[in-house]
Amino acid sequence: MTATAKPGTRILPGSQFPLGATPAASGTNFAVTSSVADAVTLCLFDDAGTETQIPLVDYDAGVWHGFIPGIGPGQAYGYRVFGPYDPSRGVLCNPAKLLLDPYARAISGEVRFGPEVLGYAAGDPGAPSTLDSAGHMPRGLVVDPEFAWADDRLPRRRYADTIIYEVHVKGFTMRHPGVPEHLRGTYAGLAHEAAVGYLVDLGVTAVELLPVHQNVPEAFLVQRGLTNYWGYNTIGYFAPHGGYSAAVRAGRPGGQVDEFKAMVNALHTAGLEVLLDVVFNHTTEAGPEGPTLCFRGLDNPAYYRLQPGDPSRYVDSTGCGNSLNAGDPVALQLIMDSLRYWLTEMHVDGFRFDLAPTLGRQEGGFDQVSAFFDLVSQDPVTSRAKLIAEPWDVGQGDSYDLGRFPPLWREWNGKYRDSMRDFWRSHQIGIGEFATRFAGSADLYGGARRRPTASVNLITVHDGFTLADLVAYNAKHNEANGESNRDGTDDNRSWNCGAEGPATDPDILELRGRQSRAMLTTLLLSFGVPLLLGGDERGRTQHGNNNAYCQDNDTTWFDWTVSDEELLAFTRRLIAFRKDHPVFRRRRYLAGAEAAELGWFTPAGAPMTTADWAEPAALSLAVYLDGSDDPDRAEDGTPLVDDDFLVLFNAWWEPLDFIVPGVRDGQRWRAEIDTYDPPAAATTPQRQAGDRITVGPRSVTVLRGPR
């Protein structure tokens, strides 16, 4: 139902800055960008859904704006854009389509898919649709920005001291027995003492949340009765997703904003940083056949990269139908304004950028001095945040950009993941490759004078097998996704240890546990920033589904009633061990004059030679870490002196005897960690140079030499 502007409704010129809906004492300023529109109408909705249309008559430098007296927080709104509809030029204005504000701080409602939300006429993409979409569209909400922060001082941990835990807000809390039922699956649930307490007890220092920007599932998933659970389909870059809000669930639209802030406050109070997985590479509007919900209808050429020879088509370096136009000032401003908003108003600590090379494609090819990277590095707010790149995108000649990001950035290290998976399933990757990844991947980052902490080390993440499935499945089992098991990668580098899926054979179960412990130990002791997939410490399984993006159910939700308590205790101890020993958290590469601080030895106790490094079949070696020679310094300048350590790696399927090398006169060693038989470490007798120690098959032994 549509009504004209009510008699007496006034619109004042307002301001072109800031963009979005900004409430003041006497009303609200509305400002939206469109350089292709001939006219823009603000649409206000009452509780009954009645629409009041108010033309924005003031236009400055591409921004349409107006101040509406008497309008305040809670007001629902959208826009209609009048102008040319010409797909051949990439211009798609259509006033029949209600559009979301790209800067909306909260969004209420959901998209109801149908021909109404398509910008083009059915069967004729060259003609605009005349169907009104208002009844199928969510609305933006005016939001009060005030919030009573409880002394929210940012943890600001150094990268070297950071341990990241990747987790989904809903999946982590949906079945948590300690979280009240009405808070499960929500920001408030993650802020609950039971959830926060678990994270603190585990010992991680940062939570990396799968996307929490307002998102919309793909139409084909809705038709299958599924949804985009991961949330990599953004429509609102300033709006916390309403589906994760207990307040919204309780009938308080817009309550997701304060609820999100309260969650951040609770996590910070516990000493945990909050990192957001953000998707600035594409939007939910997909390709030319996708819905018109926001950006496409406002200013299609500004927000999206269009094919140079055919502007009716999109450049797609994401595999999702479109790519944001990081070479256009409008799209760049949106991205930068969003990042600053989440840092300053929502108090998050940093971001992980999905398919990050797309943001560096200002002219098509990836460029580390593109406008986006320059803006981030020069901005006084974003340059202080944690910035982590997923350094690959899709279908381009330079899509795998590992090691090429600017100095401020850290990167998910895909080579680390692949090499460590292969090493522990006894594939002959070359012992030098294993050592390089363990020591911080200097081949990728050292040449650019970056630190080992440029490498975010990972074994598993949300995209792929969980750790439990990595050791239980040789092949993916994605049948529940409805794509005949064609989706998801086939390059899993997994090993089922002798049986596909669930097993009862105690030998297979013991081997799977041993494999899990070896990989977790390698991850937590490697130089760089460790990233732990939420639930791996408990043995969480997705039953072989390596692409569970559409499974918003028990497949992806934590099952707190089933847990590998021995693995959980082992992981807690590993994390505490890393925190206690700065020698495993070195902030620089150990090379040249410092080479003695990091020594590599054969199982026979001899220093590795060129021939040893070149041996293709080698699957074992020892590394010596000197804890006192030229140590790193704490922030107050105190030397971070540590004990010495020997780490013995055996990826053979048989036990292997190691000779303790003579690295320091009179040094005696005692076992701290034994992944083959964890309790045995406490009873292992002390060792000294020349002694023989047996390392179990596919396992790690850590020896400590006290000072």
Side-chain angles (χ1 to χ4, degrees), residues 514-545:
R514 193 184 340 139
Q515 290 288 95
S516 297
R517 292 190 296 271
M519 284 188 275
L520 285 172
T521 300
T522 305
L523 175 68
L524 268 302
L525 298 188
S526 293
F527 288 30
V529 180
L531 170 64
L532 178 66
L533 172 62
D536 275 358
E537 76 281 5
R538 307 176 60 86
R540 184 177 73 88
T541 177
Q542 292 180 169
H543 313 291
N545 192 323

mmCIF file of all heavy atoms in Angstrom, residues 514-545:
data_model
loop_
_atom_site.group_PDB
_atom_site.id
_atom_site.type_symbol
_atom_site.label_atom_id
_atom_site.label_comp_id
_atom_site.label_asym_id
_atom_site.label_seq_id
_atom_site.Cartn_x
_atom_site.Cartn_y
_atom_site.Cartn_z
ATOM 1 N N ARG A 514 45.784 -39.871 17.168
ATOM 2 C CA ARG A 514 47.197 -39.539 17.079
ATOM 3 C C ARG A 514 47.448 -38.537 15.945
ATOM 4 O O ARG A 514 48.216 -37.583 16.097
ATOM 5 C CB ARG A 514 48.005 -40.810 16.851
ATOM 6 C CG ARG A 514 49.486 -40.629 17.044
ATOM 7 C CD ARG A 514 50.317 -41.851 16.728
ATOM 8 N NE ARG A 514 49.590 -43.095 16.735
ATOM 9 C CZ ARG A 514 49.774 -44.063 15.828
ATOM 10 N NH1 ARG A 514 50.655 -43.894 14.859
ATOM 11 N NH2 ARG A 514 49.101 -45.179 15.890
ATOM 12 N N GLN A 515 46.792 -38.745 14.807
ATOM 13 C CA GLN A 515 46.928 -37.814 13.689
ATOM 14 C C GLN A 515 46.442 -36.415 14.083
ATOM 15 O O GLN A 515 47.060 -35.403 13.751
ATOM 16 C CB GLN A 515 46.130 -38.319 12.482
ATOM 17 C CG GLN A 515 46.705 -39.548 11.809
ATOM 18 C CD GLN A 515 47.963 -39.226 11.033
ATOM 19 O OE1 GLN A 515 49.084 -39.381 11.531
ATOM 20 N NE2 GLN A 515 47.807 -38.766 9.804
ATOM 21 N N SER A 516 45.318 -36.374 14.777
ATOM 22 C CA SER A 516 44.772 -35.087 15.208
ATOM 23 C C SER A 516 45.736 -34.376 16.142
ATOM 24 O O SER A 516 45.984 -33.165 16.011
ATOM 25 C CB SER A 516 43.419 -35.297 15.900
ATOM 26 O OG SER A 516 42.469 -35.843 15.006
ATOM 27 N N ARG A 517 46.302 -35.106 17.099
ATOM 28 C CA ARG A 517 47.227 -34.486 18.055
ATOM 29 C C ARG A 517 48.492 -33.994 17.366
ATOM 30 O O ARG A 517 49.022 -32.923 17.693
ATOM 31 C CB ARG A 517 47.569 -35.458 19.175
ATOM 32 C CG ARG A 517 46.397 -35.784 20.102
ATOM 33 C CD ARG A 517 46.856 -36.559 21.324
ATOM 34 N NE ARG A 517 47.406 -37.866 21.000
ATOM 35 C CZ ARG A 517 46.715 -38.988 20.907
ATOM 36 N NH1 ARG A 517 45.397 -38.973 21.088
ATOM 37 N NH2 ARG A 517 47.313 -40.146 20.633
ATOM 38 N N ALA A 518 48.992 -34.773 16.399
ATOM 39 C CA ALA A 518 50.213 -34.366 15.697
ATOM 40 C C ALA A 518 49.980 -33.077 14.917
ATOM 41 O O ALA A 518 50.831 -32.167 14.924
ATOM 42 C CB ALA A 518 50.676 -35.484 14.763
ATOM 43 N N MET A 519 48.841 -32.972 14.252
ATOM 44 C CA MET A 519 48.582 -31.763 13.465
ATOM 45 C C MET A 519 48.318 -30.564 14.359
ATOM 46 O O MET A 519 48.782 -29.451 14.074
ATOM 47 C CB MET A 519 47.420 -32.020 12.499
ATOM 48 C CG MET A 519 47.835 -32.853 11.297
ATOM 49 S SD MET A 519 46.583 -33.009 10.012
ATOM 50 C CE MET A 519 45.634 -34.390 10.638
ATOM 51 N N LEU A 520 47.596 -30.746 15.444
ATOM 52 C CA LEU A 520 47.373 -29.632 16.368
ATOM 53 C C LEU A 520 48.677 -29.161 16.998
ATOM 54 O O LEU A 520 48.904 -27.957 17.167
ATOM 55 C CB LEU A 520 46.380 -30.040 17.453
ATOM 56 C CG LEU A 520 44.908 -30.128 17.039
ATOM 57 C CD1 LEU A 520 44.078 -30.726 18.164
ATOM 58 C CD2 LEU A 520 44.370 -28.750 16.659
ATOM 59 N N THR A 521 49.540 -30.092 17.339
ATOM 60 C CA THR A 521 50.828 -29.723 17.935
ATOM 61 C C THR A 521 51.676 -28.952 16.937
ATOM 62 O O THR A 521 52.294 -27.928 17.277
ATOM 63 C CB THR A 521 51.570 -30.981 18.411
ATOM 64 O OG1 THR A 521 50.763 -31.660 19.386
ATOM 65 C CG2 THR A 521 52.905 -30.630 19.040
ATOM 66 N N THR A 522 51.719 -29.422 15.709
ATOM 67 C CA THR A 522 52.462 -28.707 14.674
ATOM 68 C C THR A 522 51.918 -27.292 14.508
ATOM 69 O O THR A 522 52.679 -26.316 14.440
ATOM 70 C CB THR A 522 52.370 -29.464 13.342
ATOM 71 O OG1 THR A 522 52.821 -30.810 13.526
ATOM 72 C CG2 THR A 522 53.229 -28.794 12.279
ATOM 73 N N LEU A 523 50.601 -27.167 14.472
ATOM 74 C CA LEU A 523 49.969 -25.856 14.303
ATOM 75 C C LEU A 523 50.322 -24.908 15.444
ATOM 76 O O LEU A 523 50.691 -23.750 15.213
ATOM 77 C CB LEU A 523 48.448 -26.032 14.223
ATOM 78 C CG LEU A 523 47.609 -24.751 14.155
ATOM 79 C CD1 LEU A 523 47.848 -24.035 12.837
ATOM 80 C CD2 LEU A 523 46.129 -25.073 14.336
ATOM 81 N N LEU A 524 50.230 -25.383 16.674
ATOM 82 C CA LEU A 524 50.424 -24.506 17.839
ATOM 83 C C LEU A 524 51.885 -24.205 18.115
ATOM 84 O O LEU A 524 52.193 -23.249 18.844
ATOM 85 C CB LEU A 524 49.769 -25.124 19.071
ATOM 86 C CG LEU A 524 48.308 -24.725 19.361
ATOM 87 C CD1 LEU A 524 48.168 -23.216 19.524
ATOM 88 C CD2 LEU A 524 47.350 -25.209 18.297
ATOM 89 N N LEU A 525 52.813 -24.967 17.546
ATOM 90 C CA LEU A 525 54.228 -24.706 17.772
ATOM 91 C C LEU A 525 54.908 -24.017 16.593
ATOM 92 O O LEU A 525 56.043 -23.563 16.716
ATOM 93 C CB LEU A 525 54.967 -26.007 18.090
ATOM 94 C CG LEU A 525 54.518 -26.756 19.349
ATOM 95 C CD1 LEU A 525 55.464 -27.911 19.643
ATOM 96 C CD2 LEU A 525 54.427 -25.831 20.556
ATOM 97 N N SER A 526 54.218 -23.906 15.457
ATOM 98 C CA SER A 526 54.820 -23.270 14.282
ATOM 99 C C SER A 526 54.961 -21.766 14.480
ATOM 100 O O SER A 526 54.147 -21.138 15.165
ATOM 101 C CB SER A 526 53.960 -23.535 13.045
ATOM 102 O OG SER A 526 53.968 -24.899 12.683
ATOM 103 N N PHE A 527 55.987 -21.190 13.847
ATOM 104 C CA PHE A 527 56.141 -19.740 13.841
ATOM 105 C C PHE A 527 55.023 -19.146 12.984
ATOM 106 O O PHE A 527 54.724 -19.638 11.904
ATOM 107 C CB PHE A 527 57.484 -19.344 13.255
ATOM 108 C CG PHE A 527 58.661 -19.635 14.142
ATOM 109 C CD1 PHE A 527 58.662 -20.680 15.043
ATOM 110 C CD2 PHE A 527 59.788 -18.841 14.068
ATOM 111 C CE1 PHE A 527 59.750 -20.952 15.854
ATOM 112 C CE2 PHE A 527 60.893 -19.095 14.880
ATOM 113 C CZ PHE A 527 60.869 -20.159 15.779
ATOM 114 N N GLY A 528 54.433 -18.053 13.464
ATOM 115 C CA GLY A 528 53.323 -17.430 12.768
ATOM 116 C C GLY A 528 52.142 -17.291 13.710
ATOM 117 O O GLY A 528 52.282 -17.381 14.939
ATOM 118 N N VAL A 529 50.974 -17.056 13.149
ATOM 119 C CA VAL A 529 49.751 -16.883 13.928
ATOM 120 C C VAL A 529 48.873 -18.115 13.731
ATOM 121 O O VAL A 529 48.401 -18.368 12.622
ATOM 122 C CB VAL A 529 48.978 -15.625 13.488
ATOM 123 C CG1 VAL A 529 47.710 -15.459 14.316
ATOM 124 C CG2 VAL A 529 49.854 -14.387 13.593
ATOM 125 N N PRO A 530 48.634 -18.909 14.773
ATOM 126 C CA PRO A 530 47.807 -20.101 14.599
ATOM 127 C C PRO A 530 46.321 -19.766 14.533
ATOM 128 O O PRO A 530 45.828 -18.914 15.271
ATOM 129 C CB PRO A 530 48.125 -20.935 15.847
ATOM 130 C CG PRO A 530 48.559 -19.944 16.874
ATOM 131 C CD PRO A 530 49.209 -18.805 16.123
ATOM 132 N N LEU A 531 45.623 -20.432 13.620
ATOM 133 C CA LEU A 531 44.175 -20.307 13.472
ATOM 134 C C LEU A 531 43.554 -21.675 13.713
ATOM 135 O O LEU A 531 43.841 -22.635 12.985
ATOM 136 C CB LEU A 531 43.821 -19.797 12.073
ATOM 137 C CG LEU A 531 42.341 -19.839 11.665
ATOM 138 C CD1 LEU A 531 41.512 -18.922 12.555
ATOM 139 C CD2 LEU A 531 42.175 -19.449 10.201
ATOM 140 N N LEU A 532 42.708 -21.770 14.720
ATOM 141 C CA LEU A 532 42.061 -23.021 15.103
ATOM 142 C C LEU A 532 40.597 -22.967 14.687
ATOM 143 O O LEU A 532 39.882 -22.019 15.030
ATOM 144 C CB LEU A 532 42.171 -23.224 16.618
ATOM 145 C CG LEU A 532 41.513 -24.461 17.221
ATOM 146 C CD1 LEU A 532 42.196 -25.731 16.734
ATOM 147 C CD2 LEU A 532 41.561 -24.389 18.753
ATOM 148 N N LEU A 533 40.147 -23.955 13.947
ATOM 149 C CA LEU A 533 38.734 -24.041 13.584
ATOM 150 C C LEU A 533 37.921 -24.432 14.801
ATOM 151 O O LEU A 533 38.208 -25.431 15.466
ATOM 152 C CB LEU A 533 38.530 -25.065 12.464
ATOM 153 C CG LEU A 533 37.082 -25.396 12.103
ATOM 154 C CD1 LEU A 533 36.340 -24.163 11.584
ATOM 155 C CD2 LEU A 533 37.023 -26.525 11.086
ATOM 156 N N GLY A 534 36.901 -23.636 15.093
ATOM 157 C CA GLY A 534 36.067 -23.904 16.255
ATOM 158 C C GLY A 534 35.477 -25.301 16.244
ATOM 159 O O GLY A 534 34.832 -25.701 15.278
ATOM 160 N N GLY A 535 35.709 -26.029 17.303
ATOM 161 C CA GLY A 535 35.200 -27.385 17.446
ATOM 162 C C GLY A 535 36.230 -28.453 17.183
ATOM 163 O O GLY A 535 36.047 -29.608 17.593
ATOM 164 N N ASP A 536 37.336 -28.100 16.506
ATOM 165 C CA ASP A 536 38.365 -29.107 16.246
ATOM 166 C C ASP A 536 38.948 -29.641 17.542
ATOM 167 O O ASP A 536 39.367 -30.807 17.615
ATOM 168 C CB ASP A 536 39.484 -28.512 15.387
ATOM 169 C CG ASP A 536 39.179 -28.577 13.903
ATOM 170 O OD1 ASP A 536 38.125 -29.118 13.528
ATOM 171 O OD2 ASP A 536 40.002 -28.074 13.105
ATOM 172 N N GLU A 537 38.981 -28.799 18.554
ATOM 173 C CA GLU A 537 39.531 -29.223 19.846
ATOM 174 C C GLU A 537 38.637 -30.229 20.551
ATOM 175 O O GLU A 537 39.059 -30.880 21.510
ATOM 176 C CB GLU A 537 39.749 -27.996 20.744
ATOM 177 C CG GLU A 537 38.476 -27.410 21.361
ATOM 178 C CD GLU A 537 37.640 -26.544 20.431
ATOM 179 O OE1 GLU A 537 37.980 -26.449 19.229
ATOM 180 O OE2 GLU A 537 36.644 -25.959 20.894
ATOM 181 N N ARG A 538 37.403 -30.396 20.068
ATOM 182 C CA ARG A 538 36.441 -31.316 20.676
ATOM 183 C C ARG A 538 36.160 -32.526 19.803
ATOM 184 O O ARG A 538 35.357 -33.389 20.159
ATOM 185 C CB ARG A 538 35.110 -30.600 20.937
ATOM 186 C CG ARG A 538 35.208 -29.320 21.736
ATOM 187 C CD ARG A 538 33.857 -28.633 21.848
ATOM 188 N NE ARG A 538 32.887 -29.500 22.499
ATOM 189 C CZ ARG A 538 32.745 -29.588 23.818
ATOM 190 N NH1 ARG A 538 33.526 -28.852 24.612
ATOM 191 N NH2 ARG A 538 31.843 -30.386 24.346
ATOM 192 N N GLY A 539 36.759 -32.570 18.601
ATOM 193 C CA GLY A 539 36.470 -33.654 17.670
ATOM 194 C C GLY A 539 35.172 -33.454 16.915
ATOM 195 O O GLY A 539 34.517 -34.432 16.528
ATOM 196 N N ARG A 540 34.782 -32.197 16.658
ATOM 197 C CA ARG A 540 33.513 -31.922 15.974
ATOM 198 C C ARG A 540 33.552 -32.452 14.543
ATOM 199 O O ARG A 540 34.500 -32.242 13.807
ATOM 200 C CB ARG A 540 33.234 -30.421 15.951
ATOM 201 C CG ARG A 540 31.883 -30.050 15.354
ATOM 202 C CD ARG A 540 31.629 -28.560 15.430
ATOM 203 N NE ARG A 540 32.438 -27.817 14.469
ATOM 204 C CZ ARG A 540 32.074 -27.573 13.206
ATOM 205 N NH1 ARG A 540 30.921 -28.037 12.748
ATOM 206 N NH2 ARG A 540 32.855 -26.880 12.410
ATOM 207 N N THR A 541 32.485 -33.119 14.142
ATOM 208 C CA THR A 541 32.390 -33.682 12.803
ATOM 209 C C THR A 541 31.242 -33.055 12.030
ATOM 210 O O THR A 541 30.243 -32.619 12.619
ATOM 211 C CB THR A 541 32.179 -35.209 12.852
ATOM 212 O OG1 THR A 541 32.029 -35.714 11.522
ATOM 213 C CG2 THR A 541 30.928 -35.576 13.640
ATOM 214 N N GLN A 542 31.407 -32.980 10.719
ATOM 215 C CA GLN A 542 30.320 -32.622 9.804
ATOM 216 C C GLN A 542 29.966 -33.808 8.923
ATOM 217 O O GLN A 542 29.383 -33.656 7.867
ATOM 218 C CB GLN A 542 30.701 -31.403 8.961
ATOM 219 C CG GLN A 542 30.817 -30.134 9.789
ATOM 220 C CD GLN A 542 31.204 -28.900 8.996
ATOM 221 O OE1 GLN A 542 31.133 -27.799 9.528
ATOM 222 N NE2 GLN A 542 31.620 -29.051 7.749
ATOM 223 N N HIS A 543 30.359 -34.996 9.371
ATOM 224 C CA HIS A 543 30.008 -36.254 8.718
ATOM 225 C C HIS A 543 30.476 -36.289 7.263
ATOM 226 O O HIS A 543 29.799 -36.830 6.387
ATOM 227 C CB HIS A 543 28.507 -36.515 8.821
ATOM 228 C CG HIS A 543 27.961 -36.312 10.202
ATOM 229 N ND1 HIS A 543 28.274 -37.156 11.254
ATOM 230 C CD2 HIS A 543 27.174 -35.336 10.726
ATOM 231 C CE1 HIS A 543 27.681 -36.718 12.361
ATOM 232 N NE2 HIS A 543 27.015 -35.620 12.060
ATOM 233 N N GLY A 544 31.655 -35.715 7.035
ATOM 234 C CA GLY A 544 32.255 -35.770 5.710
ATOM 235 C C GLY A 544 31.819 -34.670 4.771
ATOM 236 O O GLY A 544 32.254 -34.649 3.617
ATOM 237 N N ASN A 545 30.992 -33.749 5.218
ATOM 238 C CA ASN A 545 30.585 -32.624 4.364
ATOM 239 C C ASN A 545 31.699 -31.578 4.396
ATOM 240 O O ASN A 545 31.979 -31.005 5.441
ATOM 241 C CB ASN A 545 29.268 -32.023 4.855
ATOM 242 C CG ASN A 545 28.654 -31.062 3.853
ATOM 243 O OD1 ASN A 545 29.347 -30.319 3.170
ATOM 244 N ND2 ASN A 545 27.330 -31.082 3.764
#
